[in-house]
Amino acid sequence: MPGIPSAFLLLLLLSRLVAPVTFRHHRYDDLVRTLYKVHNQCPDITRLYHIGRSVKGRYLYVLEFSDHPGIHELLEPEVKYVGNMHGNEVLGRELLLQLSEFLCEEFRNRNQRILRLIQGTRIHILPSMNPDGYEVAAVQGPNASGYLVGRNNANGVDLNRNFPDLNTYFYYNEKYGGPNHHLPLPDNWKSQVEPETRAVIQWIRSLNFVLSANLHGGAVVANYPYDKSLLRSPHRTSNSPTPDDQLFQTLAKVYSYAHGWMHQGWNCGDYFPDGITNGASWYSLSKGMQDFNYLHTNCFEITLELSCNKFPRQEELQREWLGNREALIQFLEQVHRGIKGMVLDENSNNLTGAVISVSGINHDVTSGEHGDYFRLLLPGTYIVTAKAPGYDPKTVTVTVGPAEPTQVNFQLSRSTAYPAQKAAGRGQGSRPKQSRITRKKDPATKRHRGPA
Ligand SMILES: [Zn+2]
């Protein structure tokens, strides 16, 4: 009966073809299908949108998780993951797809930890910032002979050397006086950067992100700012800490210690104590994304190097996911530390762009479009001041515990020494805007239908 075994074999083959192969590399079309699949499985807590297109026209898709997708809810922080900025560093891309499926499934399974996370946080996942580079690298696959094939975008540009150089500006300010936060962009910045970089900059300016990680490969270490050396020679390595150095070290250690082996320090022939490093003390780089986040926005970003092999073999993906899963979740949970609150005027209108300063830490954050602010801090007691032009500043003493953030609201009164007309005429983008407390649809990001 030769027909029966062959029919059986055919059935077996078919079942293998249709069975979900969870741990595989996803080319662009497969990535888009997977994102839509997760969105369709969890439509109430996800939104799929894109932030722009690559040089070759591929959409840069973001999957958002929230209990109210598409809406900034007051006092709920925005957090992001960015993968595959270097097209040939592919593990982050696969881990972020795994994470998306995991968040969706565990939410449906009523996993209390994941429910709490999604109900209290707005999570944005960009699995691939460089889909064109990925396709070039994927043709070679894990056996790539060229170490750098697919690293750059389709114009041959390294996207992690393509952000406006705010470090030089800030080092000038360090010397001659001036801030190290919310540094302005050059007027012609859009023409100076690649389409992928432009899309990401517009995205991070449109949402008040608080925390972020940027996923790479080629080493196993959690890297924190600054990436660019504070020494005059740009290629000299030197520990180049930010005013938030302790906080950044803690954030990096949260990842490395929750990771299966990163914290052990010895990986890929390198040794990093605790599995973390200051960027510039490893090697100095200019125009990187993590320094840009810190110097231009309210967002604190670290860079995660996740695998010795930039393009791991498919068989390694499951082990990598198990090694990173807890770390990816714990890092998201870190957005709930420090202080947060509203900045209002005496009539309870929101004040946007009010400056929140912490005594002893020379790096300010500002209130977002909806008047809420978020300031990540380690446990301790702090003197915190809120300021807005035309208003009297207010200072309070706050104690931050190890768990939930402390809520500190500020109500500022019009300064009598500062006439209303003068305040209104200030301009320069520094004047706080007023608006009623509303829940608004985010205008910068539209729901996108269909993988065009
Ligand atoms: Zn990289």
Side-chain angles (χ1 to χ4, degrees), residues 86 89 151 216-217:
H86 289 139
E89 296 169 14
R151 175 184 175 91
H216 288 250

Coordinates of all heavy atoms in Angstrom, one line a residue, residues 86 89 151 216-217, ligand 1:
H86 N 20.8 49.2 12.8 CA 21.8 48.6 11.8 C 21.2 47.4 11.2 O 20.9 46.4 11.9 CB 23.1 48.3 12.6 CG 23.8 49.5 13.1 ND1 24.4 49.6 14.3 CD2 24.0 50.7 12.4 CE1 25.0 50.8 14.4 NE2 24.8 51.5 13.3
E89 N 22.1 43.9 12.2 CA 22.0 43.4 13.6 C 20.6 43.1 13.9 O 19.8 44.0 14.2 CB 22.6 44.6 14.5 CG 24.0 44.8 14.2 CD 24.6 46.1 14.8 OE1 23.9 46.7 15.7 OE2 25.7 46.5 14.4
R151 N 24.6 46.9 7.1 CA 24.6 47.8 8.3 C 23.9 49.1 8.0 O 23.1 49.6 8.8 CB 26.0 48.0 8.8 CG 26.2 49.0 10.0 CD 27.6 49.2 10.3 NE 27.8 50.3 11.3 CZ 27.9 50.0 12.6 NH1 27.8 48.8 13.1 NH2 28.1 51.0 13.5
H216 N 20.8 46.6 19.5 CA 21.9 46.3 18.5 C 22.5 44.9 18.7 O 22.0 44.1 19.6 CB 23.0 47.3 18.7 CG 22.6 48.7 18.2 ND1 23.1 49.3 17.0 CD2 21.7 49.6 18.7 CE1 22.6 50.5 16.8 NE2 21.7 50.7 17.8
G217 N 23.6 44.6 18.0 CA 24.3 43.3 18.2 C 25.7 43.5 17.8 O 26.2 44.5 17.3
Ligands
ZN1 ZN 24.7 48.5 15.9

